[in-house]
Amino acid sequence: MVAEYFSDELRFETQRLIIRKVRPSDASDMYEYSCREETCRYLLWDKHPFYSYTLELTKHLQREYAQGRYFDLAIELKENRKMIGTVGFTQVDEKNCGCEIGYVISPDYWGRGIAAEAVNALINFAFCELKMKRVEAKYMVENTASRRVMEKCGMSFEGVQRSKLFVKEKFRDIGVCSILSGEYFAVPRKNNFENPAKLSFFEKLARKCSKN
């Protein structure tokens, strides 16, 4: 079910952001933040070594989208149409109606609430559209800023998985936060996802023009 959404057109809009599939044209923006050590200090991947690596990655992701195997989306800032990070599902467990959200933001845009805005959009999609029962997120315990994002989005701290992962020559303790559907819907919510298949001809035309 989730793969069907990501293999098709997928787009969310928030107050400041456009969240949509990564494109090869994003390679320059992606490399700009992915080549920096501070960006990936608490992530599983290393900084991108050169621009051509990033470009090939964005091309590869098109095939992954088409085959329903990649669930990350670009975060585009409306004010300058710049791609400044990604947000998406790092794991999906459809059988048990659960998923894990991951995200990365360019250091140039830290401290502006952008990560929380993007994560909130994905949480809404997970519960309102995908009918998930549990959404979780994980972080290296040193990354207290990431935990604050999760808690800002209504997630509760569950605990620490000690020495869970060996990352960058060190065993890492991994913190876990989560939110359940019953907690999310404790206050009235609306589904903010607009299925492109249900858009009118003029809505589709306007959306297409906005991408150019």
Side-chain angles (χ1 to χ4, degrees), residues 24-32 35 48-59:
S25 58
D26 294 319
S28 180
D29 288 341
M30 179 183 281
Y31 179 69
E32 187 177 308
C35 70
H48 291 191
F50 29 76
Y51 168 74
S52 59
Y53 173 90
T54 308
L55 179 60
E56 288 305 310
L57 174 62
T58 59
K59 292 178 180 178

Side-chain angles (χ1 to χ4, degrees), residues 22-75:
V22 177
R23 308 166 185 152
S25 58
D26 294 319
S28 180
D29 288 341
M30 179 183 281
Y31 179 69
E32 187 177 308
Y33 68 79
S34 297
C35 70
R36 297 165 63 174
E37 194 70 50
E38 60 188 314
T39 301
C40 57
R41 181 179 301 139
Y42 300 119
L43 301 177
L44 300 182
W45 47 271
D46 295 316
K47 65 179 183 179
H48 291 191
F50 29 76
Y51 168 74
S52 59
Y53 173 90
T54 308
L55 179 60
E56 288 305 310
L57 174 62
T58 59
K59 292 178 180 178
H60 171 71
L61 294 183
Q62 308 313 302
R63 297 189 291 273
E64 294 294 287
Y65 279 135
Q67 296 177 27
R69 296 194 304 225
Y70 188 69
F71 306 135
D72 254 10
L73 300 168
I75 299 173

Side-chain angles (χ1 to χ4, degrees), residues 93-200:
D93 182 355
E94 294 187 353
K95 179 180 178 181
N96 295 297
C97 298
C99 61
E100 178 184 332
I101 289 179
Y103 46 89
V104 56
I105 301 291
S106 166
D108 294 338
Y109 296 89
W110 287 354
R112 294 174 53 176
I114 289 173
E117 189 170 330
V119 170
N120 272 322
L122 264 290
I123 291 175
N124 180 272
F125 178 61
F127 286 135
C128 294
E129 183 71 17
L130 301 180
K131 309 304 181 185
M132 293 291 175
K133 297 300 181 184
R134 171 187 168 90
V135 174
E136 68 178 29
K138 298 177 180 177
Y139 65 98
M140 295 183 190
V141 293
E142 300 93 340
N143 192 359
T144 55
S146 190
R147 174 174 171 175
R148 286 196 295 270
V149 169
M150 298 170 193
E151 293 177 333
K152 187 175 180 180
C153 294
M155 294 187 177
S156 298
F157 174 69
E158 291 190 339
V160 173
Q161 298 173 310
R162 297 176 297 168
S163 296
K164 174 68 173 179
L165 298 175
F166 187 74
V167 182
K168 298 173 183 175
E169 305 303 318
K170 181 180 178 181
F171 280 100
R172 305 283 182 163
D173 294 342
I174 304 299
V176 181
C177 294
S178 71
I179 181 171
L180 306 180
S181 60
E183 297 166 340
Y184 186 73
F185 291 113
V187 297
R189 308 280 186 177
K190 70 173 184 176
N191 187 347
N192 295 322
F193 175 67
E194 291 184 355
N195 188 339
K198 297 180 180 179
L199 296 178
S200 70

